[in-house]
Amino acid sequence: MKVSTAMRRWTSLLALGAALSLGPQAADAKKKDKDAKAGTPYASTYKAYPGRPTALVGATVYDGRGGRIDNGTVLFENGKVVAVGGADLAIPSGYDRIEGTGKFVTPGVIDIHSHLGVYPSPSVDALSDGNEMTSPTTPDVWAEHSVWPQDPGFSRALVNGGVTSLQILPGSGNLIGGRSVTLKNVPSRTVQGMKFPGAPYSLKMACGENPKRVYGERNQKPSTRMGNFSVDRQAWIDAKQYMEGDHAERDLGKDTLEGVLKGEILVQNHCYRADEMAQVLDMAKEMGYKVTAFHHAVEAYKIGDLLKAADVCAAVWADWYGFKMEAYDGIPENAALLAKAGACVVIHSDDENGIQRLNQAAARAQASGRRIGVDIPDAQVVGWFTYNAAKAMGIGAKTGSLETGKMADVVLWNGNPLSVYSRPEKVWVDGALLYDADDPRRKPVSDFELGQPGEGDVK
């Protein structure tokens, strides 16, 4: 056991050293100043791990965009999908051929709502860095400055859930919680080494009970829902004034809000009730920004038509409900009814365990729909935890589906991914095989876990 641990650590360090860049190249002072004023001084240093030309053959392929190919073939090389087709697709020489008969292939799983790294395991106060609850609005904070890359949750999400990309959000204690960061789910010494290249930032906002409870208990504004909206609106008004100024004195929070108003930063809005989501859409129209997705959104089924018209995704659980008053009207048919209305559906986790079973959550939501006569095809449901999530994170042009030229983020499942009995057999990130159930050398373990009971536990 000690030899295995040492070998795995040595293999990991060798791969890490080969794959990770040592930092962004130096730029001239003018460029640095421009980037700093634009609010993007922390560039990704992510570099894909090395992979091999690979052909997955004979499996059922779900492409993430609603397509299904039986006895399909998926080719990828140099970190990109080369081709997707049927059994007659020619396989170039030099490709590793992996037999997939009886198995299934999907794009890598994507979680749009995660707190891994900022609320890592073990869950202790010393590692709790997800909520800057010192003011109702904290747009100046960035989640990436709290992410702990050694969180064991990252590797468990990879091996148990096939998660290849995820968005890390600040918590929901504040009306405006700060910037999110989108990560590739790879081992790294630094968060910048995990940072998804070219992914836009998002701003985490929150409605409802959380902010008014947190600050109402301190006898300060907001203590009501009308207080929530008042504080939000004033923040946007102040941001507009800042945007029209000369920026002689920088304000980190207003930099972020300005980015939202310019359409450079997306908005991910924690919101449960239908009436509040509708009011937020009104506020967004008033202030000139767009909500990309409502998260949790347990009453989204009541306003599917409004969400479709506004092109806003609903990132939901399969069946969490009733744990507080604003979750009281949550129903397990939520996702299916949204899909029937033509709205964008995303299945999210908000949980270090749920992220390991997003495929099963989507299957439960699908089954709930079937019980009321709303039958969503399997190929469409797979999109709920792949392409739709990527779209709502602003990375849909790069990942989330098996299409030529996209990142080769791929999962080979040992059975139908919508079955409780199925699990990832192999997971590739940018064409690099990072997990193989049949190869002990490719079962990543966080440095934090090495030598501890249950290290790298795979369920």
Side-chain angles (χ1 to χ4, degrees):
M1 185 66 182
K2 290 182 180 179
V3 172
S4 175
T5 295
M7 288 180 64
R8 270 182 291 155
R9 182 170 192 146
W10 178 244
T11 301
S12 175
L13 288 172
L14 284 175
L16 203 57
L20 295 175
S21 71
L22 296 178
Q25 293 183 347
D28 58 62
K30 185 175 180 181
K31 177 67 165 56
K32 284 183 177 180
D33 184 61
K34 181 180 177 182
D35 285 347
K37 287 183 177 179
T40 56
Y42 300 105
S44 168
T45 61
Y46 170 78
K47 184 178 179 181
Y49 281 85
R52 290 185 51 80
T54 301
L56 305 180
V57 299
T60 299
V61 177
Y62 290 126
D63 67 9
R65 299 294 298 271
R68 171 177 173 150
I69 304 173
D70 294 317
N71 194 19
T73 302
V74 178
L75 306 178
F76 51 91
E77 182 180 7
N78 295 325
K80 303 292 184 183
V81 176
V82 173
V84 181
D88 58 347
L89 184 64
I91 301 174
S93 62
Y95 271 59
D96 294 341
R97 181 186 177 103
I98 296 179
E99 181 59 51
T101 301
K103 301 173 184 179
F104 287 70
V105 175
T106 70
V109 176
I110 300 174
D111 191 0
I112 193 175
H113 191 122
S114 175
H115 299 296
L116 292 186
V118 298
Y119 284 120
S121 302
S123 180
V124 296
D125 287 346
L127 296 176
S128 178
D129 291 306
N131 255 319
E132 182 58 40
M133 289 189 292
T134 52
S135 170
T137 62
T138 56
D140 53 312
V141 302
W142 298 22
E144 66 198 78
H145 298 142
S146 280
V147 171
W148 183 41
Q150 291 188 51
D151 182 358
F154 288 121
S155 57
R156 281 166 167 72
L158 180 80
V159 304
N160 291 329
V163 174
T164 56
S165 299
L166 63 167
Q167 179 172 226
I168 310 302
L169 296 156
S172 56
N174 296 341
L175 292 165
I176 300 176
R179 296 196 194 198
S180 73
V181 63
T182 295
L183 305 178
K184 300 287 285 193
N185 194 14
V186 298
S188 174
R189 295 169 296 178
T190 69
V191 66
Q192 303 305 331
M194 301 174 74
K195 198 170 177 180
F196 194 112
Y201 284 107
S202 285
L203 175 67
K204 170 68 178 296
M205 297 186 68
C207 297
E209 291 184 23
N210 285 12
K212 79 186 191 80
R213 182 190 69 250
V214 170
Y215 293 98
E217 288 177 354
R218 300 178 188 178
N219 197 30
Q220 71 177 92
K221 192 176 184 179
S223 64
T224 62
R225 283 181 164 84
M226 59 185 173
N228 285 349
F229 276 86
S230 170
V231 173
D232 274 338
R233 293 176 72 214
Q234 189 61 56
W236 291 117
I237 290 169
D238 293 346
K240 284 186 173 185
Q241 292 175 347
Y242 178 77
M243 185 167 64
E244 294 167 359
D246 60 9
H247 295 69
E249 294 186 14
R250 283 190 64 196
D251 183 300
L252 293 178
K254 291 185 178 66
D255 280 348
T256 293
L257 298 180
E258 179 179 0
V260 173
L261 293 171
K262 288 182 175 179
E264 299 166 353
I265 296 175
L266 310 180
V267 172
Q268 311 290 345
N269 208 132
H270 160 121
C271 214
Y272 284 72
R273 283 181 9 188
D275 59 314
E276 285 189 272
M277 286 184 270
Q279 289 183 350
V280 168
L281 292 178
D282 289 341
M283 178 170 60
K285 185 176 181 181
E286 174 195 8
M287 296 299 172
Y289 69 92
K290 175 176 169 45
V291 177
T292 304
F294 285 115
H295 291 229
H296 311 333
V298 301
E299 291 187 15
Y301 64 95
K302 298 180 181 182
I303 54 167
D305 57 333
L306 299 183
L307 298 178
K308 178 184 178 182
D311 188 29
V312 177
C313 292
V316 302
W317 296 296
D319 40 25
W320 286 16
Y321 75 99
F323 46 90
K324 53 182 175 177
M325 282 304 302
E326 62 186 2
Y328 188 78
D329 263 355
I331 60 173
E333 298 84 6
N334 190 20
L337 290 172
L338 285 165
K340 183 181 179 182
C344 168
V345 178
V346 180
I347 297 295
H348 70 358
S349 77
D350 191 31
D351 180 73
E352 69 272 21
N353 294 309
I355 194 173
Q356 301 174 39
R357 306 287 186 271
L358 286 173
N359 58 309
Q360 294 181 16
R364 296 200 310 273
Q366 178 192 39
S368 295
R370 283 177 176 165
R371 283 193 288 271
I372 61 169
V374 179
D375 194 356
I376 311 299
D378 288 0
Q380 183 177 343
V381 172
V382 168
W384 293 355
F385 54 88
T386 56
Y387 179 74
N388 285 5
K391 170 189 170 184
M393 292 159 61
I395 56 174
K398 297 182 177 183
T399 190
S401 58
L402 299 175
E403 298 179 85
T404 301
K406 284 194 171 184
M407 293 172 167
D409 297 338
V410 184
V411 182
L412 176 65
W413 303 81
N414 62 7
N416 189 327
L418 300 180
S419 166
V420 72
Y421 298 107
S422 299
R423 57 171 295 109
E425 185 172 293
K426 292 179 172 62
V427 182
W428 291 265
V429 180
D430 277 321
L433 182 59
L434 295 190
Y435 171 65
D436 185 347
D438 299 321
D439 185 352
R441 297 171 300 175
R442 284 189 166 86
K443 294 182 180 178
V445 178
S446 162
D447 276 1
F448 177 78
E449 290 189 277
L450 288 174
Q452 297 193 48
E455 75 171 40
D457 187 27
V458 176
K459 294 183 172 63

